[in-house]
Amino acid sequence: MPKFKPHTGTGKRVKVTGKGKIVREKAGKRHLLEGKSSHVTRRMTGTVVIAEADLPRVKKLLGR
């Protein structure tokens, strides 16, 4: 059996916390920010925990 290689792109996009939660950055704050209100751009800051429905797929990609 070949070794399992974790998905490199997923590893760059998500982070595993100390307690094992998987967090990601919010989307939509990379470009075209002049057209978005400051309320919207503030709402897009920070990290959020990945949805329960996506956890099995992301864990498989990370090799966990």
Side-chain angles (χ1 to χ4, degrees), residues 48-61:
V48 288
V49 178
I50 290 209
E52 284 289 325
D54 297 326
L55 269 179
R57 183 169 21 135
V58 174
K59 281 185 176 177
K60 181 183 176 191
L61 287 168

Side-chain angles (χ1 to χ4, degrees), residues 3-36:
K3 289 183 180 176
F4 180 82
K5 292 186 178 177
H7 194 274
T8 313
T10 306
K12 292 174 186 176
R13 286 168 172 82
V14 299
K15 178 185 160 222
V16 183
T17 63
K19 291 198 172 190
K21 293 179 187 172
I22 301 178
V23 293
R24 63 168 177 87
E25 294 283 330
K26 289 186 183 175
K29 203 167 181 222
R30 290 288 180 209
H31 65 142
L32 302 175
L33 297 175
E34 287 180 343
K36 296 169 187 169

